[in-house]
Amino acid sequence: MKRFPILLLLCIVATQVKAQTIDTVVQLKNEQMERFYFTLMPKTPSKGLIVILSGYGSPQETLKDTRIAQTACEAGYTVVLPWLTRTDTPNSEEIFTPLLEKSIPEWIEKYKVPKNKFIIGGHSWAGHQAVKYTENANKPGYKTIVKPNAVFAVDPPMDLSRLYRGYFRMQEVIPNAPLTREGLMISEMFKARFGGTPAEQKGAYAAASSYTRDLSLGGDAQYLKNVPVRLYGDPDVDWFIRERQTPVEWTNMADVTACIVLLQALGNKNAEYVNCLGKGIMNGNRHPHGFAMVDPKEFVQWVDKVLHD
């Protein structure tokens, strides 16, 4: 990333976050941006760390789409919004996960965050990444990863086989639908990454998913049975039919609700689905996928409960 775009991003963030102190870090490797993150630092000693993943979006877009970071910082939390990506690899996930695992201990030390006061989450694909990180942190043998006290995700895709099949089915049934181009891109990306379709590489898709409906314990979702989990969704079925010609089983809601039902069946009393019907907004327009569906004040109340009750 050139100097001008970075300065432009910083100017954008400065207009979005006026009351907090911001630490901005840009790290390059082989002339490629490897780590780029904003940290909102509270004026009082930190009550805990909240990491909000930006996935294929960017931290400044996250700050624009939702005020949960600003509100959490005002309530005394250190909030990190990272963009851990590389443009010189076809599979950014191979870069993302190790960088995230390396970065979290560094952030805890750098910003003097209390031990065992850590929540991670994100929107859309970043929400899936946050859930996947939490599952890995709770797997037997993953002793070096800092375990989150809780995880949240806003309308995440979780079952990657379902995501592929939904897009493929859409291409067959509704070839002119608004999401067809996105579906073609993601379908081809998945086939390249996993070595084929879900029918051909069932195990690879399950291993990469944060929830797998075809496995009795939901695949890696079983490792969340003792972790507070919040999954947000805006189940506006009418909108999806009218604007996207998409049935419920092709939406992320199918994964979100199925995962919560599974976790509750496994005994997780702190697994909850948050119904945000009618609250999703993206770019100023109604959209059930928007990060804006999360109520910032209520979100901070949940964080306080998880970390300090």
Side-chain angles (χ1 to χ4, degrees):
M1 181 176 285
K2 302 296 184 182
R3 178 178 176 83
F4 175 73
I6 291 176
L7 292 176
L8 178 60
L9 293 177
L10 301 186
C11 291
I12 293 172
V13 171
T15 64
Q16 294 168 349
V17 186
K18 298 179 181 179
Q20 286 90 14
T21 301
I22 307 173
D23 182 27
T24 304
V25 176
V26 179
Q27 294 179 348
L28 304 179
K29 184 175 182 179
N30 299 328
E31 299 184 352
Q32 295 288 334
M33 187 173 67
E34 185 173 50
R35 290 205 293 183
F36 169 39
Y37 61 87
F38 300 117
T39 302
L40 279 62
M41 297 178 290
K43 297 179 180 179
T44 56
S46 178
K47 294 166 58 178
L49 173 67
I50 303 174
V51 175
I52 303 177
L53 302 181
S54 299
Y56 290 121
S58 62
Q60 66 272 17
E61 290 171 348
T62 300
L63 290 169
K64 179 181 177 181
D65 293 341
T66 175
R67 287 196 58 80
I68 67 172
Q70 296 92 322
T71 304
C73 183
E74 291 168 359
Y77 292 97
T78 302
V79 184
V80 179
L81 297 98
W83 196 13
L84 310 175
T85 186
R86 291 277 293 279
T87 58
D88 59 345
T89 174
N91 184 5
S92 61
E93 294 299 301
E94 293 181 359
I95 302 296
F96 181 95
T97 302
L99 277 176
L100 183 60
E101 294 174 4
K102 174 185 177 182
S103 298
I104 289 171
E106 291 181 5
W107 294 331
I108 291 173
E109 181 177 356
K110 178 179 180 180
Y111 299 113
K112 297 180 174 57
V113 177
K115 301 292 184 181
N116 301 317
K117 302 291 183 182
F118 163 43
I119 288 177
I120 192 169
H123 168 239
S124 191
W125 184 260
H128 157 71
Q129 291 174 315
V131 174
K132 193 67 179 172
Y133 171 90
T134 306
E135 291 169 350
N136 287 339
N138 285 277
K139 284 182 180 179
Y142 277 75
K143 298 179 180 180
T144 61
I145 303 177
V146 179
K147 291 185 179 182
N149 297 79
V151 61
F152 71 94
V154 182
D155 197 38
M158 305 181 75
D159 186 334
L160 302 191
S161 291
R162 187 279 309 165
L163 185 62
Y164 178 95
R165 291 172 183 141
Y167 280 134
F168 182 79
R169 187 66 175 153
M170 183 179 293
Q171 295 165 32
E172 283 191 327
V173 178
I174 318 170
N176 296 319
L179 289 180
T180 298
R181 182 177 297 179
E182 175 184 323
L184 284 168
M185 178 192 72
I186 292 178
S187 298
E188 291 304 311
M189 180 180 68
F190 278 9
K191 284 192 291 185
R193 176 181 171 188
F194 302 126
T197 68
E200 297 166 337
Q201 298 291 341
K202 183 178 179 180
Y205 279 81
S209 296
S210 49
Y211 165 75
T212 304
R213 58 181 28 82
D214 292 338
L215 298 178
S216 60
L217 295 179
D220 283 354
Q222 65 185 291
Y223 300 111
L224 300 174
K225 64 181 181 180
N226 297 316
V227 181
V229 178
R230 262 202 169 194
L231 302 181
Y232 294 81
D234 183 347
D236 192 339
V237 177
D238 291 337
W239 187 94
F240 279 107
I241 293 174
R242 182 180 65 252
E243 301 293 336
R244 293 291 186 267
Q245 297 82 52
T246 302
V248 172
E249 63 266 25
W250 295 358
T251 68
N252 294 339
M253 286 300 304
D255 296 351
V256 167
T257 53
C259 183
I260 292 299
V261 168
L262 169 77
L263 292 176
Q264 292 179 352
L266 292 176
N268 189 337
K269 297 181 179 180
N270 294 309
E272 55 182 321
Y273 161 67
V274 182
N275 189 326
C276 303
L277 180 60
K279 298 179 181 179
I281 301 292
M282 290 183 71
N283 300 318
N285 300 314
R286 175 78 181 103
H287 197 310
H289 188 58
F291 208 157
M293 71 176 73
V294 180
D295 182 321
K297 292 183 178 179
E298 197 277 336
F299 171 81
V300 172
Q301 290 173 357
W302 172 71
V303 172
D304 283 339
K305 180 180 179 181
V306 168
L307 294 184
H308 298 287
D309 276 5

